[in-house]
Amino acid sequence: MSSPPADATIRNRTGPTMAWLRGQLRNIAPFATLLALAILFSVASPSFATFDNLANILQQVSVTGIIAVGLTFVILCAEIDLSVASLANATGIVLAFFTAQDASVNIANIPLPGVAAVVLAVLASLALGAVNAFGLTVIGIPSFIMTLAMLQIGAGICALLVRGQIAYNVPDFIATLGNGAIGPLPWIVVVAAVILLLGHVVLTYTRFGRYVYMVGGNREAAEYSGINVKLILAAVMLVSAVCSGIGGMLGVAHFGSAQQNEFDNYLLDSISAVVVGGTSLFGGQGGIGNTVVGLLVLGVLNNGLDHVRIDSFLKILIRGLILLLALIINVYAQRLRTREAAAG
Amino acid sequence: MAALAGVDFTLAKGEIHGLVGENGAGKSTLMNIIAGVHPEYEGTMRINGAVVKFRSIRDSLAAGIGMVHQELSIVPELSVAENVLLGVQPTNRLGLIDWKAMYREAEAQLSRLGIRVDPRAPIGRLPLGLQQLVELARVLFSGARIVILDEPTSALSPPEVDVLFSLLRRVRDSGRSIIFISHFLDDILHVSDTITIFRNGRRIATAPARDIDKAWIIERMIGAGHRELEESYTGEIMLNSRPDAQVVLTAEGLAAIGAFRDVSLQVRAGEVLGIYGFLGSGQLELARALFGKLPIAAGTLRIDGRAARLRSTAAARRAGIAFVPESRRSMLFAQEPVYKNVSVSILDRISRLWVRPSAEREIARQHVGRLQIRPPRVERRLNTLSGGNQQKVALAKWLTHLPRVLVLSEPTRGMDVGAKDDVMTIVRSLRAQGIGVVVVSTEPETVLSLADRILVMKRGTITREFANEVVSKDRLLAAA
Ligand SMILES: Nc1ncnc2c1ncn2[C@@H]1O[C@H](COP(=O)(O)OP(=O)(O)OP(=O)(O)O)[C@@H](O)[C@H]1O
Ligand SMILES: [Mg+2]
C-alpha cells in the first residue's frame, strides 16, 4: 500500500484575546451570573431593586460570608472543611453557655463576664480546629473524612451543652454586632466586610497567603521548594475554625437564640459561595474576591426568589441547578488550564 | 506573537523523522497542532492527501495519530497496567474490565520495551524514566499510524534508549511513521531517516540524516560560532577532585527501603560530585532522600559536621540543602507567573510578613537574564514557556538561595545544547562560590561534563568511584 505523504502547512493563530478570556473564565462567569440574576429580578419585581432590599441581601449573606472566608483558605489548599457550620453552631452555643440566661432556660450554664465568654468561645473553636489540623497533618486523615467526624463532634457538643433547650442571651456587645446597626448599615455587614477584607489582605499580600496558593497550586512542588506544607495545612484549618467561630457567635446574636441544628444550612451555603465564586476545587486558583461574588450570587438568588412568585419547592431545585452549573464551569475552567499546561 | 510562522512540514510513510531546535523553537507547538491539542491555527494539514482539521485530541487519535507529550500525561493514581491500556482496557462478556487480561497484556507490552515492573503498582510511585516508558508503550502499541514522541528519552538511560530505538525501527519497518523530538543530537542522527531543524518558530532545514552531521545541525539550530560545544560531552576527561576542601555533607551507611542501601559518601565545598547509574539503580531516590523527601531507614547524615535528621523537605532546606528534581511537574507552579516560581524558595529571606512582589520581580529578572530564559518576561504564566525554558526556571529557583549543598537531579533534562552549556557555566560558578554540588543523572554526558568526582551506582549500592583519573563515557558505562 503506497500512500502519498502526510503533509501540513501550519501557522499558529491562538487569538490572544480569546486565550485571555478563556483563562479568566472562572472569574468572568460568576460575575456575569450575578449581573444576569440582578437584572432578571429587577425586571421581574419592583420591590427587588431597592436600597432597603440591598441592605437585606447583605445582611442575609453576612454570616455565610464570615464562615466562607476560612473555607476559602481551605479550598485554596485543595482541602475541604465540612465542619464549618457545626463549629459555628458549637461556638455560638459555648458563648451562650458562658452567658447568664433567663431563669426559664434550664441548662447547667456558667455565667461569666462577656469578654471571658467570648474568649472561651474563640478558644473552643480554636481547639476544635486544632483537632482537625492534627488529624489532617499528623495522622494523615483526608480532610473530607476528618472534618466529617468533626461535624458530628460539633453537633454532639451542641447537644450536650443545651440539651434540647434554647438559650437567648449573649454578651451585650456581641448582641449589638449581630443585631444592631449604625445608621442604615447593620453592624453584622460591617463585621463581615472587615473579615472578608482581612482575608483578602492575608491571602494576597502576606507570605502565608502566598504559601496557601503554592500549596494548593502544586503540593509536591511546594514541598520540593522547602515549604512546610503540613504547617500551612494546619494553619488553614485553624483559620477556618476561627472564622466559623466568629460567624457562629454573630449568627447566634443575629438570630436571637442559640440552639441545636441552627446552622445546618450554612455548610452548603458557604461551600456554594466559595465554589460559585469560582475558586478552584483543585486548589491554587481563586480568592476572597471570588467568594464575595459567589456570596452575592447566592444572596441575590435566595432573596430574589422571594420577590417573585415561585413555588417554594421549586426554589430548592433552582438553587441546586445553579450550584451544578457553577461546578461545571469550575471543572471546565480547570480543564482549559490543564490542557494548556499539557501542551508545554 | 505567533509561536510558529509559515511552517511547511512533510512526513513520509515509514520514516523516522527527527525534529531538533532550541528551547522555545516551536517543536512542541507544531506537534500539539498535529495531535489536536491546539485546535486554533492557520494553514492546512493533509493526511494521505485528504485535508483534515482536528478539533480535539480525540479527533487525531481517530485519524491514527498518537503522541507522547513532553510533560507526561499519565494518571499517577492509576496502576501501570491501567495507564498502558488507558481507554482500551480489555473487557469480558459482561462488559466489565477483565483485570487478569489487562495485567497480562500490559506486562507483555512492557516486556517488549525491555522493562519489568509490577503492572499493579500505582504509576505515580515509579521514577520518571519508567513513567516515560509506560507512556511510550501506550502510544507505540496503540496501533497509531503516525507516532509523535516529544523528548521521549529525556529521563532514560542508555540501555532503555537502545531498546526503544530498535523498537522504533521495527515500528517504522512495519510502514508506520514516527516523529522524534530530542535534544540529544547523537541520538537523533543515529535513529532518524530525515531530520528537520526549527528555529524561532520557522523550519530552517530538512535533510536526510545520512548526509549531515552534528556540526551542521548545531550551526542551523543556534548559528555558527558555537565551536567546542560537543567536545565537552565526548572523549576522555580528567577528573580533579579537591581533597583539601572542607567536607560539607557526609553520609554513612544510608539506606531507604526498596531503593538503595549502604551508601556512604562525602561532598566537599566547591566540588561537584556526580552520581551516575542506569534507571532503577537508586541514585534518583538517593537524591530525594538527601532532601528529606524519601524517609531514610538507616544510616547517618552530617551537614557541616553536625548530625542532621531530615524529617521533611522544610527541615532539609533549613539544614542548607537544596534540590532540583528531574520532573518539572513536581517542581513548578504551572499556573503562577515566572517570578513567583523563582522566588518561592527564598520568600522567607526577602519578606517577613508582607510579600514584596517588586523585589521578587527584580530577583527573577536577574536570573531570567542570567539563564537566558525566553521569553524574558517574568510576569508570564509559567505554562506558556516551552519545556526547556521551564526547566531553566526550576534551576533559577535555587540560584537565589545559595545553599550549602545543591542536589541536581537530571539538571539538563530537556535543554538544548546551548542551554546545557549555560547550566555548566552556572554549576561552575556555584562551585567557585564554595557550594557542594551533587549531580545525579542517568545520562553519562551530564555527569561527565559537570562532575569533579564520580560515583557509580548499581542496584542500590555504590560500586565504583572515579577520582583523579581519566574517565570516558565507555568506562562509565562499563562500571554501571
Ligand atoms: N500556551 C502558550 N501560550 C503562549 N505561548 C506559548 C504557549 N505555549 C508555548 N508558547 C510559546 O511558544 C514558543 C514555542 O514553544 P514550544 O513549546 O513549541 O517550544 P519547543 O521547541 O518545544 O521547546 P523545548 O525544547 O523547550 O520544549 C515559546 O516561545 C513558548 O513560550
Ligand atoms: Mg517542547
Side-chain angles (χ1 to χ4, degrees), chain B residues 36 57 67 83 105 114 117 157 190 201 235 237 245 274 317 333 427 439:
Chain B
I57 300 175
M67 175 161 174
N83 273 289
E105 176 72 4
V117 285
S157 54
H190 177 61
I237 287 165
R317 194 177 70 108
F333 303 90
V427 168
V439 173

Side-chain angles (χ1 to χ4, degrees), chain B residues 165 183-191 214 233-234 445 473:
Chain B
F165 284 177
H183 290 292
F184 299 118
L185 301 183
D186 291 325
D187 285 0
I188 286 271
L189 279 164
H190 177 61
V191 77
K214 207 161 153 183
Y233 296 111
T234 51
E445 289 83 356
K473 186 170 169 179

Side-chain angles (χ1 to χ4, degrees), chain B residues 211-232:
Chain B
D211 297 348
I212 58 178
D213 63 9
K214 207 161 153 183
W216 191 90
I217 296 180
I218 293 180
E219 195 180 315
R220 271 148 198 83
M221 265 176 72
I222 313 179
H226 273 259
R227 2 67 313 190
E228 13 101 272
L229 271 176
E230 317 136 60
E231 273 149 276
S232 40

